[in-house]
Amino acid sequence: MSSERRPGTALTSVLGIRHPVVQGPFGGGLSTVELTAAVSEAGGLGSYGLHAVAPERIGSVVDRIRASTTAPFSVNLWIPRAEEERPVPDATALAAHTDRLAAHYAEFGLTPPGLDAANARLDFEAQVDAVLEARPPVISVVMGTPSRRLVEGARRIGATLIGTATTVAEARALQEAGCDVVVASGSDAGGHRGSFLAPVRESLVGTFSLVPQVSDAVTVPVVAAGGIADGRGVAAALALGADGVQVGTGFLRTRESGASQVHRDALASERAETTVLTRLFSGRPARGIANGLVRELADAEDRVPPYPAQNNLMMPIRARAAELGRPDRLNLWSGQAALLASGGAAGDYLAALVSDAGKVLGSPL
């Protein structure tokens, strides 16, 4: 079979990669240069999440990835949502939120963050400037549509632009904004939900319902994301009209990821059979493994402050929990198919995805 007829050719041609597999970008220290490079070297599109990286460090990160692989790679930014990022107004409001977490700070001998720390945030426009100056081959965004400035900047440096949709309407909006590729991210996906045209609760479309509808609605290549962790999932997504897949949790289990050992162990255990959407760790809805903290604070889901305040308040607890190997206090981001992944080396995992999907489809990828 010629390469022109292989499944996923529309995506591989646009991105300049061998296999129609994108590694989902991770934030919060879970992305690593090693993972990004390993996936790209193996023929997929390695990705690095920059949303928590200071603008002055972005150029260094991109330089390190470029020094580790000559293949295309992607960097990811979060589009800020003003309505969600209201600061904590004063010490009284802060106390209400830190009091809720007092027992958890005390458990680890931590001092609650002050008002300035709770409200700390990065300059998104400066991040955009830094990314454009670094000239990565691919830029992806979540949480909204890219600005005209970002779209024009990507065109200027010759970068492919990927947008992330959780509904058909969002997919159309991303294409209209100028995205070259659209990721159709189903509610099965782990980590933060990127819904931006409607509330998350109105945007929880399963991956295999979302993908064919998005494929019918847009003309740019479509990448299926959410609940895809083995070759069967890859084949199913392609059969439903996707031009490729994005795999997050599966690559999070690989040894090159920045996930702590306790996080990897949780993803490989029966605990990963139960995931929930929660705002408790960051202030934005995200899918992770249900644990002690999620259950103990469940009644506060609608009362915690929005991102980034809640994220900043939880950061010390999350960091200490990872250090001490405490999965009951850690944000264990996970999609709904974690146990289908194999772990091990990222390159081997990618090769297995491609090989197994080809066997199911009866066509090489």
Side-chain angles (χ1 to χ4, degrees):
M1 178 176 288
S2 69
S3 60
E4 288 75 22
R5 296 174 58 199
R6 288 183 177 181
T9 299
L11 182 70
T12 57
S13 297
V14 168
L15 297 178
I17 56 179
R18 297 197 306 276
H19 305 303
V21 178
V22 177
Q23 171 233 319
F26 313 126
L30 298 177
S31 284
T32 67
V33 169
E34 292 75 19
L35 176 60
T36 306
V39 173
S40 290
E41 284 292 290
L45 184 73
S47 306
Y48 194 105
L50 292 174
H51 87 268
V53 178
E56 60 270 20
R57 291 186 51 237
I58 287 175
S60 173
V61 170
V62 173
D63 286 345
R64 287 167 53 211
I65 299 171
R66 189 173 279 120
S68 301
T69 180
T70 57
F73 61 88
S74 175
V75 296
N76 176 263
L77 292 172
W78 284 15
I79 305 294
R81 299 186 63 186
E83 69 275 18
E84 287 189 356
E85 300 194 358
R86 299 180 301 276
V88 177
D90 52 39
T92 300
L94 178 65
H97 299 309
T98 54
D99 286 351
R100 187 182 301 120
L101 298 171
H104 302 294
Y105 291 127
E107 180 180 16
F108 292 131
L110 299 169
T111 301
L115 192 61
D116 288 344
N119 287 329
R121 64 194 65 210
L122 295 173
D123 184 335
F124 175 72
E125 293 304 326
Q127 286 183 312
V128 170
D129 289 339
V131 166
L132 295 177
E133 183 176 352
R135 305 177 73 89
V138 182
I139 301 169
S140 69
V141 297
V142 294
M143 309 289 182
T145 55
S147 65
R148 180 182 297 275
R149 187 169 83 88
L150 179 52
V151 172
E152 292 177 350
R155 299 285 180 270
R156 185 177 68 253
I157 66 173
T160 302
L161 189 59
I162 301 176
T164 306
T166 65
T167 65
V168 175
E170 290 177 354
R172 292 194 187 101
L174 289 165
Q175 177 172 275
E176 291 170 5
C179 288
D180 304 299
V181 176
V182 169
V183 174
S185 180
S187 58
D188 320 50
H192 288 86
R193 299 302 299 150
S195 304
F196 57 91
L197 289 183
V200 169
R201 66 179 178 275
E202 297 177 16
S203 307
L204 296 175
V205 186
T207 302
F208 294 113
S209 295
L210 181 64
V211 167
Q213 295 181 74
V214 170
S215 296
D216 288 347
V218 300
T219 57
V220 297
V222 173
V223 177
I228 300 169
D230 67 5
R232 292 171 296 177
V234 175
L238 295 175
L240 288 172
D243 299 290
V245 300
Q246 179 171 285
V247 177
T249 304
F251 281 113
L252 199 59
R253 280 188 60 179
T254 64
R255 64 180 179 226
E256 291 93 341
S257 90
S260 64
Q261 189 59 53
V262 68
H263 192 168
R264 286 197 190 90
D265 290 344
L267 291 173
S269 75
E270 290 184 357
R271 284 173 290 176
E273 293 176 353
T274 304
T275 64
V276 295
L277 281 175
T278 179
R279 295 180 62 243
L280 294 172
F281 288 105
S282 72
R284 278 182 172 168
R287 184 173 296 284
I289 297 172
N291 63 4
L293 187 143
V294 170
R295 294 185 175 103
E296 291 164 24
L297 296 179
D299 63 350
E301 280 283 353
D302 294 330
R303 293 184 285 121
V304 299
Y307 179 91
Q310 179 68 6
N311 190 64
N312 294 338
L313 293 176
M314 286 296 301
M315 195 68 70
I317 296 171
R318 291 161 51 177
R320 188 62 59 87
E323 291 173 4
L324 298 179
R326 291 284 302 276
D328 57 325
R329 297 292 182 259
L330 188 62
N331 54 309
L332 302 170
W333 300 144
S334 174
Q336 293 185 315
L339 292 177
L340 297 178
S342 59
D348 293 341
Y349 176 53
L350 176 57
L353 288 173
V354 171
S355 174
D356 292 348
K359 292 174 183 175
V360 174
L361 292 169
S363 303
L365 296 189

PDB file of all heavy atoms in Angstrom, residues 172-209:
ATOM      1  N   ARG A 172     -15.545  24.217  14.938  1.00  0.00           N
ATOM      2  CA  ARG A 172     -15.789  25.184  13.869  1.00  0.00           C
ATOM      3  C   ARG A 172     -15.107  26.518  14.192  1.00  0.00           C
ATOM      4  O   ARG A 172     -14.512  27.152  13.313  1.00  0.00           O
ATOM      5  CB  ARG A 172     -17.292  25.397  13.681  1.00  0.00           C
ATOM      6  CG  ARG A 172     -18.050  24.208  13.122  1.00  0.00           C
ATOM      7  CD  ARG A 172     -19.440  24.645  12.671  1.00  0.00           C
ATOM      8  NE  ARG A 172     -20.271  23.525  12.272  1.00  0.00           N
ATOM      9  CZ  ARG A 172     -21.210  22.972  13.028  1.00  0.00           C
ATOM     10  NH1 ARG A 172     -21.443  23.449  14.243  1.00  0.00           N
ATOM     11  NH2 ARG A 172     -21.933  21.960  12.585  1.00  0.00           N
ATOM     12  N   ALA A 173     -15.218  26.951  15.433  1.00  0.00           N
ATOM     13  CA  ALA A 173     -14.619  28.229  15.831  1.00  0.00           C
ATOM     14  C   ALA A 173     -13.109  28.205  15.670  1.00  0.00           C
ATOM     15  O   ALA A 173     -12.501  29.193  15.249  1.00  0.00           O
ATOM     16  CB  ALA A 173     -14.988  28.549  17.278  1.00  0.00           C
ATOM     17  N   LEU A 174     -12.485  27.086  15.983  1.00  0.00           N
ATOM     18  CA  LEU A 174     -11.029  26.977  15.855  1.00  0.00           C
ATOM     19  C   LEU A 174     -10.598  27.016  14.393  1.00  0.00           C
ATOM     20  O   LEU A 174      -9.608  27.662  14.040  1.00  0.00           O
ATOM     21  CB  LEU A 174     -10.545  25.687  16.516  1.00  0.00           C
ATOM     22  CG  LEU A 174     -10.612  25.682  18.042  1.00  0.00           C
ATOM     23  CD1 LEU A 174     -10.459  24.263  18.585  1.00  0.00           C
ATOM     24  CD2 LEU A 174      -9.540  26.589  18.638  1.00  0.00           C
ATOM     25  N   GLN A 175     -11.349  26.336  13.519  1.00  0.00           N
ATOM     26  CA  GLN A 175     -11.023  26.395  12.096  1.00  0.00           C
ATOM     27  C   GLN A 175     -11.186  27.815  11.570  1.00  0.00           C
ATOM     28  O   GLN A 175     -10.323  28.323  10.839  1.00  0.00           O
ATOM     29  CB  GLN A 175     -11.905  25.434  11.308  1.00  0.00           C
ATOM     30  CG  GLN A 175     -11.661  25.513   9.799  1.00  0.00           C
ATOM     31  CD  GLN A 175     -12.385  24.433   9.025  1.00  0.00           C
ATOM     32  OE1 GLN A 175     -11.900  23.319   8.887  1.00  0.00           O
ATOM     33  NE2 GLN A 175     -13.573  24.768   8.522  1.00  0.00           N
ATOM     34  N   GLU A 176     -12.265  28.474  11.962  1.00  0.00           N
ATOM     35  CA  GLU A 176     -12.505  29.847  11.509  1.00  0.00           C
ATOM     36  C   GLU A 176     -11.427  30.801  12.018  1.00  0.00           C
ATOM     37  O   GLU A 176     -11.091  31.778  11.344  1.00  0.00           O
ATOM     38  CB  GLU A 176     -13.885  30.307  11.972  1.00  0.00           C
ATOM     39  CG  GLU A 176     -15.037  29.598  11.263  1.00  0.00           C
ATOM     40  CD  GLU A 176     -16.383  29.888  11.906  1.00  0.00           C
ATOM     41  OE1 GLU A 176     -16.424  30.716  12.855  1.00  0.00           O
ATOM     42  OE2 GLU A 176     -17.388  29.284  11.478  1.00  0.00           O
ATOM     43  N   ALA A 177     -10.883  30.510  13.194  1.00  0.00           N
ATOM     44  CA  ALA A 177      -9.837  31.373  13.767  1.00  0.00           C
ATOM     45  C   ALA A 177      -8.503  31.208  13.058  1.00  0.00           C
ATOM     46  O   ALA A 177      -7.622  32.071  13.193  1.00  0.00           O
ATOM     47  CB  ALA A 177      -9.676  31.083  15.253  1.00  0.00           C
ATOM     48  N   GLY A 178      -8.333  30.100  12.320  1.00  0.00           N
ATOM     49  CA  GLY A 178      -7.103  29.910  11.579  1.00  0.00           C
ATOM     50  C   GLY A 178      -6.275  28.705  11.973  1.00  0.00           C
ATOM     51  O   GLY A 178      -5.124  28.569  11.540  1.00  0.00           O
ATOM     52  N   CYS A 179      -6.835  27.795  12.771  1.00  0.00           N
ATOM     53  CA  CYS A 179      -6.083  26.602  13.156  1.00  0.00           C
ATOM     54  C   CYS A 179      -5.935  25.652  11.960  1.00  0.00           C
ATOM     55  O   CYS A 179      -6.863  25.466  11.181  1.00  0.00           O
ATOM     56  CB  CYS A 179      -6.777  25.883  14.310  1.00  0.00           C
ATOM     57  SG  CYS A 179      -6.653  26.761  15.884  1.00  0.00           S
ATOM     58  N   ASP A 180      -4.768  25.040  11.862  1.00  0.00           N
ATOM     59  CA  ASP A 180      -4.475  24.109  10.768  1.00  0.00           C
ATOM     60  C   ASP A 180      -4.942  22.699  11.076  1.00  0.00           C
ATOM     61  O   ASP A 180      -5.125  21.877  10.164  1.00  0.00           O
ATOM     62  CB  ASP A 180      -2.972  24.082  10.497  1.00  0.00           C
ATOM     63  CG  ASP A 180      -2.415  25.455  10.188  1.00  0.00           C
ATOM     64  OD1 ASP A 180      -2.849  26.053   9.196  1.00  0.00           O
ATOM     65  OD2 ASP A 180      -1.556  25.939  10.960  1.00  0.00           O
ATOM     66  N   VAL A 181      -5.074  22.381  12.354  1.00  0.00           N
ATOM     67  CA  VAL A 181      -5.471  21.057  12.834  1.00  0.00           C
ATOM     68  C   VAL A 181      -6.373  21.269  14.044  1.00  0.00           C
ATOM     69  O   VAL A 181      -6.154  22.191  14.834  1.00  0.00           O
ATOM     70  CB  VAL A 181      -4.243  20.204  13.245  1.00  0.00           C
ATOM     71  CG1 VAL A 181      -4.680  18.874  13.840  1.00  0.00           C
ATOM     72  CG2 VAL A 181      -3.298  19.990  12.069  1.00  0.00           C
ATOM     73  N   VAL A 182      -7.395  20.411  14.196  1.00  0.00           N
ATOM     74  CA  VAL A 182      -8.273  20.482  15.361  1.00  0.00           C
ATOM     75  C   VAL A 182      -8.218  19.164  16.118  1.00  0.00           C
ATOM     76  O   VAL A 182      -8.394  18.094  15.526  1.00  0.00           O
ATOM     77  CB  VAL A 182      -9.731  20.787  14.950  1.00  0.00           C
ATOM     78  CG1 VAL A 182     -10.672  20.591  16.141  1.00  0.00           C
ATOM     79  CG2 VAL A 182      -9.859  22.206  14.417  1.00  0.00           C
ATOM     80  N   VAL A 183      -7.966  19.250  17.420  1.00  0.00           N
ATOM     81  CA  VAL A 183      -8.049  18.083  18.303  1.00  0.00           C
ATOM     82  C   VAL A 183      -9.468  18.017  18.847  1.00  0.00           C
ATOM     83  O   VAL A 183      -9.953  18.972  19.442  1.00  0.00           O
ATOM     84  CB  VAL A 183      -7.039  18.186  19.465  1.00  0.00           C
ATOM     85  CG1 VAL A 183      -7.251  17.039  20.455  1.00  0.00           C
ATOM     86  CG2 VAL A 183      -5.613  18.189  18.947  1.00  0.00           C
ATOM     87  N   ALA A 184     -10.129  16.879  18.628  1.00  0.00           N
ATOM     88  CA  ALA A 184     -11.460  16.643  19.187  1.00  0.00           C
ATOM     89  C   ALA A 184     -11.270  15.892  20.500  1.00  0.00           C
ATOM     90  O   ALA A 184     -11.024  14.680  20.504  1.00  0.00           O
ATOM     91  CB  ALA A 184     -12.316  15.829  18.215  1.00  0.00           C
ATOM     92  N   SER A 185     -11.368  16.631  21.601  1.00  0.00           N
ATOM     93  CA  SER A 185     -11.046  16.080  22.922  1.00  0.00           C
ATOM     94  C   SER A 185     -12.321  15.659  23.637  1.00  0.00           C
ATOM     95  O   SER A 185     -13.084  16.492  24.131  1.00  0.00           O
ATOM     96  CB  SER A 185     -10.296  17.127  23.758  1.00  0.00           C
ATOM     97  OG  SER A 185      -9.974  16.617  25.030  1.00  0.00           O
ATOM     98  N   GLY A 186     -12.539  14.356  23.710  1.00  0.00           N
ATOM     99  CA  GLY A 186     -13.734  13.835  24.346  1.00  0.00           C
ATOM    100  C   GLY A 186     -13.665  13.879  25.863  1.00  0.00           C
ATOM    101  O   GLY A 186     -12.608  14.085  26.463  1.00  0.00           O
ATOM    102  N   SER A 187     -14.818  13.672  26.487  1.00  0.00           N
ATOM    103  CA  SER A 187     -14.892  13.739  27.944  1.00  0.00           C
ATOM    104  C   SER A 187     -14.128  12.615  28.620  1.00  0.00           C
ATOM    105  O   SER A 187     -13.905  12.660  29.825  1.00  0.00           O
ATOM    106  CB  SER A 187     -16.357  13.708  28.386  1.00  0.00           C
ATOM    107  OG  SER A 187     -17.004  12.539  27.908  1.00  0.00           O
ATOM    108  N   ASP A 188     -13.697  11.619  27.863  1.00  0.00           N
ATOM    109  CA  ASP A 188     -12.885  10.523  28.397  1.00  0.00           C
ATOM    110  C   ASP A 188     -11.469  10.983  28.762  1.00  0.00           C
ATOM    111  O   ASP A 188     -10.773  10.305  29.518  1.00  0.00           O
ATOM    112  CB  ASP A 188     -12.721   9.408  27.347  1.00  0.00           C
ATOM    113  CG  ASP A 188     -13.957   9.111  26.535  1.00  0.00           C
ATOM    114  OD1 ASP A 188     -14.543  10.064  25.999  1.00  0.00           O
ATOM    115  OD2 ASP A 188     -14.303   7.936  26.392  1.00  0.00           O
ATOM    116  N   ALA A 189     -11.047  12.106  28.204  1.00  0.00           N
ATOM    117  CA  ALA A 189      -9.651  12.531  28.327  1.00  0.00           C
ATOM    118  C   ALA A 189      -9.279  12.900  29.758  1.00  0.00           C
ATOM    119  O   ALA A 189     -10.074  13.434  30.520  1.00  0.00           O
ATOM    120  CB  ALA A 189      -9.386  13.723  27.401  1.00  0.00           C
ATOM    121  N   GLY A 190      -8.026  12.641  30.104  1.00  0.00           N
ATOM    122  CA  GLY A 190      -7.518  13.006  31.410  1.00  0.00           C
ATOM    123  C   GLY A 190      -7.058  14.450  31.449  1.00  0.00           C
ATOM    124  O   GLY A 190      -6.910  15.104  30.419  1.00  0.00           O
ATOM    125  N   GLY A 191      -6.825  14.948  32.662  1.00  0.00           N
ATOM    126  CA  GLY A 191      -6.351  16.317  32.820  1.00  0.00           C
ATOM    127  C   GLY A 191      -7.459  17.329  32.613  1.00  0.00           C
ATOM    128  O   GLY A 191      -8.651  17.015  32.681  1.00  0.00           O
ATOM    129  N   HIS A 192      -7.050  18.567  32.345  1.00  0.00           N
ATOM    130  CA  HIS A 192      -7.993  19.683  32.310  1.00  0.00           C
ATOM    131  C   HIS A 192      -8.894  19.673  31.079  1.00  0.00           C
ATOM    132  O   HIS A 192      -8.432  19.398  29.967  1.00  0.00           O
ATOM    133  CB  HIS A 192      -7.230  21.009  32.378  1.00  0.00           C
ATOM    134  CG  HIS A 192      -6.659  21.278  33.724  1.00  0.00           C
ATOM    135  ND1 HIS A 192      -5.424  20.797  34.106  1.00  0.00           N
ATOM    136  CD2 HIS A 192      -7.164  21.951  34.797  1.00  0.00           C
ATOM    137  CE1 HIS A 192      -5.187  21.171  35.362  1.00  0.00           C
ATOM    138  NE2 HIS A 192      -6.223  21.866  35.797  1.00  0.00           N
ATOM    139  N   ARG A 193     -10.157  19.992  31.306  1.00  0.00           N
ATOM    140  CA  ARG A 193     -11.094  20.134  30.217  1.00  0.00           C
ATOM    141  C   ARG A 193     -10.909  21.511  29.597  1.00  0.00           C
ATOM    142  O   ARG A 193     -10.816  22.519  30.296  1.00  0.00           O
ATOM    143  CB  ARG A 193     -12.543  20.004  30.706  1.00  0.00           C
ATOM    144  CG  ARG A 193     -12.868  18.666  31.348  1.00  0.00           C
ATOM    145  CD  ARG A 193     -12.594  17.514  30.394  1.00  0.00           C
ATOM    146  NE  ARG A 193     -13.408  17.589  29.192  1.00  0.00           N
ATOM    147  CZ  ARG A 193     -13.024  17.116  27.994  1.00  0.00           C
ATOM    148  NH1 ARG A 193     -11.833  16.582  27.835  1.00  0.00           N
ATOM    149  NH2 ARG A 193     -13.826  17.227  26.971  1.00  0.00           N
ATOM    150  N   GLY A 194     -10.878  21.553  28.267  1.00  0.00           N
ATOM    151  CA  GLY A 194     -10.608  22.805  27.576  1.00  0.00           C
ATOM    152  C   GLY A 194     -11.827  23.512  27.037  1.00  0.00           C
ATOM    153  O   GLY A 194     -11.706  24.356  26.145  1.00  0.00           O
ATOM    154  N   SER A 195     -13.008  23.208  27.536  1.00  0.00           N
ATOM    155  CA  SER A 195     -14.244  23.811  27.009  1.00  0.00           C
ATOM    156  C   SER A 195     -14.206  25.325  27.133  1.00  0.00           C
ATOM    157  O   SER A 195     -13.793  25.858  28.167  1.00  0.00           O
ATOM    158  CB  SER A 195     -15.454  23.262  27.769  1.00  0.00           C
ATOM    159  OG  SER A 195     -15.483  21.853  27.706  1.00  0.00           O
ATOM    160  N   PHE A 196     -14.680  26.031  26.078  1.00  0.00           N
ATOM    161  CA  PHE A 196     -14.618  27.488  26.116  1.00  0.00           C
ATOM    162  C   PHE A 196     -15.839  28.192  25.557  1.00  0.00           C
ATOM    163  O   PHE A 196     -16.035  29.383  25.796  1.00  0.00           O
ATOM    164  CB  PHE A 196     -13.362  28.007  25.407  1.00  0.00           C
ATOM    165  CG  PHE A 196     -13.213  27.583  23.967  1.00  0.00           C
ATOM    166  CD1 PHE A 196     -13.714  28.370  22.931  1.00  0.00           C
ATOM    167  CD2 PHE A 196     -12.536  26.416  23.639  1.00  0.00           C
ATOM    168  CE1 PHE A 196     -13.568  27.997  21.605  1.00  0.00           C
ATOM    169  CE2 PHE A 196     -12.376  26.036  22.314  1.00  0.00           C
ATOM    170  CZ  PHE A 196     -12.892  26.825  21.288  1.00  0.00           C
ATOM    171  N   LEU A 197     -16.714  27.507  24.839  1.00  0.00           N
ATOM    172  CA  LEU A 197     -17.925  28.165  24.328  1.00  0.00           C
ATOM    173  C   LEU A 197     -19.139  27.920  25.210  1.00  0.00           C
ATOM    174  O   LEU A 197     -20.119  28.655  25.141  1.00  0.00           O
ATOM    175  CB  LEU A 197     -18.225  27.705  22.902  1.00  0.00           C
ATOM    176  CG  LEU A 197     -17.272  28.196  21.814  1.00  0.00           C
ATOM    177  CD1 LEU A 197     -17.749  27.719  20.444  1.00  0.00           C
ATOM    178  CD2 LEU A 197     -17.143  29.721  21.826  1.00  0.00           C
ATOM    179  N   ALA A 198     -19.086  26.884  26.013  1.00  0.00           N
ATOM    180  CA  ALA A 198     -20.174  26.560  26.940  1.00  0.00           C
ATOM    181  C   ALA A 198     -19.546  25.974  28.197  1.00  0.00           C
ATOM    182  O   ALA A 198     -18.391  25.529  28.180  1.00  0.00           O
ATOM    183  CB  ALA A 198     -21.139  25.556  26.306  1.00  0.00           C
ATOM    184  N   PRO A 199     -20.268  25.972  29.305  1.00  0.00           N
ATOM    185  CA  PRO A 199     -19.724  25.384  30.528  1.00  0.00           C
ATOM    186  C   PRO A 199     -19.314  23.928  30.307  1.00  0.00           C
ATOM    187  O   PRO A 199     -19.883  23.231  29.452  1.00  0.00           O
ATOM    188  CB  PRO A 199     -20.884  25.491  31.522  1.00  0.00           C
ATOM    189  CG  PRO A 199     -21.735  26.603  31.003  1.00  0.00           C
ATOM    190  CD  PRO A 199     -21.620  26.529  29.511  1.00  0.00           C
ATOM    191  N   VAL A 200     -18.354  23.474  31.089  1.00  0.00           N
ATOM    192  CA  VAL A 200     -17.879  22.095  30.964  1.00  0.00           C
ATOM    193  C   VAL A 200     -19.031  21.103  31.078  1.00  0.00           C
ATOM    194  O   VAL A 200     -19.091  20.116  30.334  1.00  0.00           O
ATOM    195  CB  VAL A 200     -16.791  21.803  32.024  1.00  0.00           C
ATOM    196  CG1 VAL A 200     -16.486  20.314  32.092  1.00  0.00           C
ATOM    197  CG2 VAL A 200     -15.519  22.580  31.700  1.00  0.00           C
ATOM    198  N   ARG A 201     -19.955  21.340  32.005  1.00  0.00           N
ATOM    199  CA  ARG A 201     -21.056  20.383  32.202  1.00  0.00           C
ATOM    200  C   ARG A 201     -21.934  20.247  30.962  1.00  0.00           C
ATOM    201  O   ARG A 201     -22.666  19.252  30.825  1.00  0.00           O
ATOM    202  CB  ARG A 201     -21.905  20.801  33.406  1.00  0.00           C
ATOM    203  CG  ARG A 201     -22.653  22.107  33.236  1.00  0.00           C
ATOM    204  CD  ARG A 201     -23.492  22.441  34.463  1.00  0.00           C
ATOM    205  NE  ARG A 201     -24.186  23.718  34.322  1.00  0.00           N
ATOM    206  CZ  ARG A 201     -23.644  24.891  34.617  1.00  0.00           C
ATOM    207  NH1 ARG A 201     -22.405  24.947  35.084  1.00  0.00           N
ATOM    208  NH2 ARG A 201     -24.340  26.006  34.456  1.00  0.00           N
ATOM    209  N   GLU A 202     -21.888  21.228  30.059  1.00  0.00           N
ATOM    210  CA  GLU A 202     -22.648  21.157  28.814  1.00  0.00           C
ATOM    211  C   GLU A 202     -21.776  20.700  27.639  1.00  0.00           C
ATOM    212  O   GLU A 202     -22.241  20.677  26.495  1.00  0.00           O
ATOM    213  CB  GLU A 202     -23.248  22.530  28.495  1.00  0.00           C
ATOM    214  CG  GLU A 202     -24.242  23.029  29.525  1.00  0.00           C
ATOM    215  CD  GLU A 202     -24.764  24.422  29.215  1.00  0.00           C
ATOM    216  OE1 GLU A 202     -24.593  24.883  28.065  1.00  0.00           O
ATOM    217  OE2 GLU A 202     -25.337  25.055  30.123  1.00  0.00           O
ATOM    218  N   SER A 203     -20.542  20.346  27.929  1.00  0.00           N
ATOM    219  CA  SER A 203     -19.586  20.033  26.856  1.00  0.00           C
ATOM    220  C   SER A 203     -18.940  18.667  27.056  1.00  0.00           C
ATOM    221  O   SER A 203     -17.842  18.425  26.554  1.00  0.00           O
ATOM    222  CB  SER A 203     -18.506  21.117  26.807  1.00  0.00           C
ATOM    223  OG  SER A 203     -19.080  22.409  26.725  1.00  0.00           O
ATOM    224  N   LEU A 204     -19.605  17.789  27.778  1.00  0.00           N
ATOM    225  CA  LEU A 204     -19.042  16.474  28.082  1.00  0.00           C
ATOM    226  C   LEU A 204     -19.486  15.445  27.052  1.00  0.00           C
ATOM    227  O   LEU A 204     -20.289  14.561  27.327  1.00  0.00           O
ATOM    228  CB  LEU A 204     -19.431  16.045  29.494  1.00  0.00           C
ATOM    229  CG  LEU A 204     -18.876  16.932  30.612  1.00  0.00           C
ATOM    230  CD1 LEU A 204     -19.425  16.500  31.969  1.00  0.00           C
ATOM    231  CD2 LEU A 204     -17.346  16.892  30.621  1.00  0.00           C
ATOM    232  N   VAL A 205     -18.942  15.575  25.859  1.00  0.00           N
ATOM    233  CA  VAL A 205     -19.250  14.652  24.764  1.00  0.00           C
ATOM    234  C   VAL A 205     -18.161  13.588  24.722  1.00  0.00           C
ATOM    235  O   VAL A 205     -16.970  13.892  24.695  1.00  0.00           O
ATOM    236  CB  VAL A 205     -19.310  15.393  23.416  1.00  0.00           C
ATOM    237  CG1 VAL A 205     -19.767  14.438  22.317  1.00  0.00           C
ATOM    238  CG2 VAL A 205     -20.225  16.601  23.509  1.00  0.00           C
ATOM    239  N   GLY A 206     -18.559  12.317  24.718  1.00  0.00           N
ATOM    240  CA  GLY A 206     -17.583  11.236  24.655  1.00  0.00           C
ATOM    241  C   GLY A 206     -16.795  11.267  23.357  1.00  0.00           C
ATOM    242  O   GLY A 206     -17.288  11.708  22.311  1.00  0.00           O
ATOM    243  N   THR A 207     -15.565  10.784  23.414  1.00  0.00           N
ATOM    244  CA  THR A 207     -14.663  10.845  22.265  1.00  0.00           C
ATOM    245  C   THR A 207     -15.280  10.250  21.002  1.00  0.00           C
ATOM    246  O   THR A 207     -15.241  10.846  19.927  1.00  0.00           O
ATOM    247  CB  THR A 207     -13.353  10.104  22.581  1.00  0.00           C
ATOM    248  OG1 THR A 207     -12.759  10.690  23.737  1.00  0.00           O
ATOM    249  CG2 THR A 207     -12.385  10.191  21.411  1.00  0.00           C
ATOM    250  N   PHE A 208     -15.877   9.075  21.132  1.00  0.00           N
ATOM    251  CA  PHE A 208     -16.349   8.394  19.928  1.00  0.00           C
ATOM    252  C   PHE A 208     -17.723   8.862  19.478  1.00  0.00           C
ATOM    253  O   PHE A 208     -18.233   8.391  18.461  1.00  0.00           O
ATOM    254  CB  PHE A 208     -16.277   6.885  20.125  1.00  0.00           C
ATOM    255  CG  PHE A 208     -14.843   6.433  20.250  1.00  0.00           C
ATOM    256  CD1 PHE A 208     -14.347   5.921  21.437  1.00  0.00           C
ATOM    257  CD2 PHE A 208     -13.965   6.592  19.190  1.00  0.00           C
ATOM    258  CE1 PHE A 208     -13.024   5.555  21.544  1.00  0.00           C
ATOM    259  CE2 PHE A 208     -12.636   6.231  19.289  1.00  0.00           C
ATOM    260  CZ  PHE A 208     -12.150   5.701  20.474  1.00  0.00           C
ATOM    261  N   SER A 209     -18.327   9.787  20.202  1.00  0.00           N
ATOM    262  CA  SER A 209     -19.466  10.540  19.682  1.00  0.00           C
ATOM    263  C   SER A 209     -18.999  11.837  19.043  1.00  0.00           C
ATOM    264  O   SER A 209     -19.541  12.282  18.029  1.00  0.00           O
ATOM    265  CB  SER A 209     -20.462  10.868  20.809  1.00  0.00           C
ATOM    266  OG  SER A 209     -21.033   9.718  21.343  1.00  0.00           O
TER     267      SER A 209
END
